């Protein structure tokens, strides 16, 4: 009897400790050790949030859903606006905007529409470990959506790039569902910028707002110099390892799902998660907007922290009443704008270094952080992780790709169906991205430059 009572006490104490730690875990704990972001690097975030919001407007000259301060864009610079009727369900609605003030060509993609069956079909087109891509894994449905968008708009983007002196930045931005499409778009363009008129990697950027988990950890770290994820405090989506399709199947009982996932993941060792090559993560460099504190009421002046985490990459579900509201693009735009103004005021008061020197120093530190993250991923034995030397010395002879398709290419084929495939002589992006999906003769998944290297 005494032994059984002792066991019961230990179990109760252990469960009480777990419950206390879980219930007192707040969103700000994820980035507690991260350094603050600078105004220069965070400046585009509120602007791209407003462009994403503009996708929801049926007429930008007579807007109905103006954010505070307006959209601050010129309707005459909108090159194209595409609706659900035009995408035929292959991609969320988007717009193409040429921002001459900031020298950017922007593709802004809206988030999930709960009323559209096509968005659910896109999310459901995936199974764990189904889609191999560029030495890792990505969400199959989001990849197909990105390919369709490139098939439709690559000629437009190439024309805009050339017309503006091949000097503008090419920016992909998306919210929620659109963030996954935008992130994979950026990865494809980085690897095949020559198909868009020679866009270099340094001119490609992506802003994933409230990002979906759309790529494996090695890819999330590898492209951290291109992709920037913006997360507001307790947002559930970047923290939920459950496949996107399961999340939105349970959207009407989301608190129950989050609690179940939280309970399940508590008993999965961190090392096991990191070693799973199929596990998907939020992409790129993280910008965490923090505005609430533990056991404090109300919102505080927001602060922005940034890093390229490898382990501890938003792996803990936050049991918070704000987990879903923090996912909203309206709240994110509002808090990002506040945070930027606070950073600018603080920077003007404290910084004594010349702005140009300060900016150069920050660019060097960002580059160093990316190299350190790549090295840490390798040291933690992240599957298919690459070192900074691999990134700096890519294979320059990609024209020597084997023309014979492998069985893996056939099984992982993501080409569009015949009714979605363009019939003209434009670049076939579904064929181009096959070059990023290769296995060596032993059947081991490798990057293309690895398969071409002499052994």
């Amino acid at each position: 009897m005494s032994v059984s009572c002792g066991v019961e006490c230990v179990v109760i104490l252990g469960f009480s400790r777990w419950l206390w730690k879980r219930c007192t875990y707040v969103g700000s704990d994820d980035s507690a050790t991260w350094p603050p972001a600078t105004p220069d690097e965070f400046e585009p975030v509120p602007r791209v949030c407003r462009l994403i919001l503009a996708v929801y407007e049926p007429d930008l000259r007579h807007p109905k859903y103006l954010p505070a301060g307006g959209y601050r864009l010129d309707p005459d610079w909108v090159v194209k606006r595409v609706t659900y009727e035009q995408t035929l369900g292959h991609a969320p609605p988007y717009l193409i905007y040429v921002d001459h003030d900031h020298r950017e060509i922007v593709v802004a993609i809206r988030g999930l529409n709960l009323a559209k069956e096509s968005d659910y079909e896109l999310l459901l087109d995936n199974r764990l470990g189904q889609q191999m891509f560029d030495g890792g894994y990505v969400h199959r449905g989001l990849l197909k959506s990105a390919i369709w968008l490139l098939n439709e708009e690559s000629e437009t983007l190439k024309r805009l790039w050339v017309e503006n002196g091949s000097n503008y930045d090419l920016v992909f931005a998306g919210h929620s569902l659109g963030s996954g499409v935008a992130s994979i778009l950026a990865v494809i363009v980085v690897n095949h910028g020559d198909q868009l008129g020679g866009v270099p990697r340094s001119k490609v950027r992506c802003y994933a707002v409230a990002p979906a988990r759309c790529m494996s950890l090695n890819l999330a770290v590898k492209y951290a110099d291109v992709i920037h994820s913006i997360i507001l405090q307790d947002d559930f989506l970047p923290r939920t390892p459950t496949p996107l399709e399961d999340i939105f199947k349970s959207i009407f009982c989301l608190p129950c799902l989050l609690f179940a996932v939280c309970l399940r993941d508590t008993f999965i060792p961190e090392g096991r998660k990191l070693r799973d090559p199929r596990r998907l993560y939020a992409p790129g460099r993280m910008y965490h907007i923090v505005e609430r504190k533990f056991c404090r009421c109300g919102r505080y002046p927001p602060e922005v922290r940034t890093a390229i985490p490898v382990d501890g990459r938003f792996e803990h579900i936050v049991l918070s009443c704000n987990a879903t509201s923090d996912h909203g693009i309206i709240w994110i735009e509002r808090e990002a704008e506040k945070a930027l103004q606070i950073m600018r005021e603080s920077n003007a008061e404290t910084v004594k270094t010349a702005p140009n020197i300060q900016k150069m120093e920050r660019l060097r530190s960002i580059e160093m952080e990316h190299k350190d993250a790549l090295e840490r991923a390798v040291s933690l034995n992240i599957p298919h992780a690459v070192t900074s030397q691999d990134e700096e010395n890519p294979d320059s002879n990609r024209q020597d790709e084997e023309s014979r398709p492998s069985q893996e290419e056939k099984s992982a084929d993501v080409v569009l169906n015949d009714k979605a495939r363009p019939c003209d002589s434009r670049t076939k992006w579904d064929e181009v991205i096959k070059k990023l999906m290769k296995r060596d003769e032993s059947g081991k998944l490798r990057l293309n430059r690895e398969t071409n290297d002499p052994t």
Side-chain angles (χ1 to χ4, degrees):
M1 180 66 69
S2 60
V3 173
S4 62
C5 289
V7 172
E8 288 178 4
C9 290
V10 169
V11 171
I12 292 172
L13 286 174
F15 180 78
S16 300
R17 179 178 180 273
W18 172 85
L19 188 63
W20 169 256
K21 291 183 68 176
R22 179 54 64 189
C23 291
T24 57
Y25 191 90
V26 293
S28 59
D29 292 344
D30 285 315
S31 58
T33 61
W34 296 4
T38 62
D40 287 335
E41 62 183 302
F42 194 72
E43 182 272 334
V45 173
R47 188 170 71 248
V48 299
C49 287
R50 289 191 292 270
L51 276 171
I52 295 169
L53 278 170
V55 183
Y56 292 76
E57 291 284 359
D59 185 359
L60 284 171
R61 297 187 185 278
H62 303 92
K64 297 180 179 179
Y65 316 110
L66 276 173
Y71 291 111
R72 306 176 212 178
L73 56 80
D74 187 340
D76 293 330
W77 293 349
V78 176
V79 176
K80 193 173 186 179
R81 182 178 178 276
V82 181
T83 64
Y84 276 110
E85 289 72 23
Q86 295 166 292
T87 66
L88 301 175
H90 295 299
Y94 59 91
L95 65 79
I96 301 176
Y97 180 76
V98 180
D99 188 343
H100 295 290
D101 292 336
H102 299 93
R103 304 178 67 81
E104 295 173 345
I105 301 166
V106 185
V107 180
I109 310 170
R110 67 158 284 169
L112 177 80
N113 186 341
L114 294 175
K116 286 293 181 181
E117 183 180 339
S118 59
D119 282 6
Y120 290 100
E121 290 176 354
L122 194 155
L123 287 167
L124 291 168
D125 186 11
N126 188 64
R127 293 193 305 273
L128 184 64
Q130 180 182 20
Q131 186 59 64
M132 291 172 285
F133 180 75
D134 193 19
Y137 289 87
V138 295
H139 187 284
R140 177 183 172 90
L142 298 178
L143 176 59
K144 289 175 69 174
S145 183
I147 296 169
W148 180 89
L149 198 151
L150 276 174
N151 277 330
E152 293 294 311
E153 305 298 349
S154 59
E155 292 300 313
T156 301
L157 295 177
K158 181 177 180 179
R159 174 176 58 80
L160 293 173
W161 165 259
V162 174
E163 285 179 357
N164 290 283
S166 301
N167 198 27
Y168 279 27
D169 289 343
L170 184 56
V171 179
F172 300 99
H175 169 249
S176 187
L177 173 67
S179 70
V181 179
S183 299
I184 297 175
L185 273 172
V187 172
I188 296 173
V189 171
V190 162
N191 285 277
H192 298 287
D194 57 315
Q195 303 290 334
L196 292 178
V199 182
R201 183 176 182 135
S202 60
K203 289 291 184 180
V204 180
R205 282 183 288 128
C206 173
Y207 293 94
V209 182
R213 289 189 167 220
C214 59
M215 60 182 67
S216 55
L217 184 55
N218 63 316
L219 299 181
V221 175
K222 176 182 177 181
Y223 294 101
D225 59 326
V226 175
I227 305 173
H228 311 277
S229 288
I230 296 89
I231 300 166
L232 178 59
Q233 187 88 12
D234 299 335
D235 188 358
F236 75 94
L237 191 58
R239 295 181 168 89
T240 309
T242 300
L244 287 177
E245 58 272 19
D246 292 342
I247 292 176
F248 290 101
K249 281 179 187 174
S250 308
I251 192 70
F252 299 109
C253 191
L254 192 57
C256 303
L257 175 67
L258 295 182
F259 184 81
V261 172
C262 170
L263 185 64
R264 182 198 67 188
D265 284 359
T266 299
F267 302 100
I268 300 178
E270 184 74 19
R272 180 180 169 186
K273 297 177 186 177
L274 293 175
R275 288 191 298 271
D276 186 354
R278 305 166 303 164
R279 189 179 177 90
L280 303 184
Y281 292 81
R285 170 179 284 275
M286 302 288 190
Y287 289 90
H288 194 199
I289 305 173
V290 177
E291 57 173 1
R292 291 184 297 274
K293 300 180 181 179
F294 180 60
C295 288
R296 305 286 180 88
C297 295
R299 296 175 183 264
Y300 285 73
E303 61 175 303
V304 183
R305 305 164 182 171
T306 183
I308 308 176
V310 180
D311 47 339
R313 191 180 181 89
F314 285 85
E315 285 298 294
H316 298 286
I317 296 293
V318 178
L319 299 178
S320 165
C321 59
N322 299 294
T324 52
S325 62
D326 283 352
H327 186 68
I329 183 65
I330 296 176
W331 275 111
I332 296 172
E333 186 276 332
R334 189 177 304 174
E335 297 305 315
E337 183 64 34
K338 287 181 186 177
L340 180 60
Q341 296 304 324
I342 292 171
M343 283 192 285
R344 282 174 171 167
E345 292 170 4
S346 175
N347 198 54
E349 293 174 0
T350 59
V351 173
K352 299 180 181 179
T353 311
N356 288 340
I357 297 176
Q358 180 191 6
K359 188 173 182 178
M360 291 300 297
E361 289 176 350
R362 179 54 184 157
L363 288 174
R364 282 195 292 269
S365 68
I366 287 174
E367 183 180 352
M368 206 55 176
E369 287 173 25
H370 187 215
K371 290 182 178 180
D372 291 342
L374 289 169
E375 299 298 333
R376 179 158 181 76
V378 172
S379 69
L380 291 173
N381 296 319
I382 304 301
H384 318 306
V386 296
T387 64
S388 56
Q389 286 78 15
D390 292 333
E391 284 294 281
E392 291 170 359
N393 300 292
D395 183 17
S396 60
N397 190 17
R398 292 201 174 191
Q399 281 100 12
D400 296 334
E401 299 289 344
E402 299 88 354
S403 59
R404 177 173 51 88
S406 66
Q407 184 63 36
E408 180 262 330
E409 283 179 282
K410 295 176 183 176
S411 63
D413 191 8
V414 294
V415 294
L416 304 172
N417 56 39
D418 291 339
K419 66 180 180 181
R421 190 195 305 271
C423 299
D424 55 24
S425 59
R426 296 177 301 173
T427 300
K428 305 299 189 297
W429 285 94
D430 47 346
E431 297 172 3
V432 170
I433 62 99
K434 280 186 181 180
K435 297 177 181 178
L436 298 176
M437 298 184 294
K438 295 286 185 181
R439 283 185 184 272
D440 60 15
E441 294 179 357
S442 66
K444 186 176 180 181
L445 185 64
R446 291 186 180 277
L447 299 175
N448 281 333
R449 60 172 174 268
E450 293 177 352
T451 59
N452 289 336
D453 286 344
T455 56

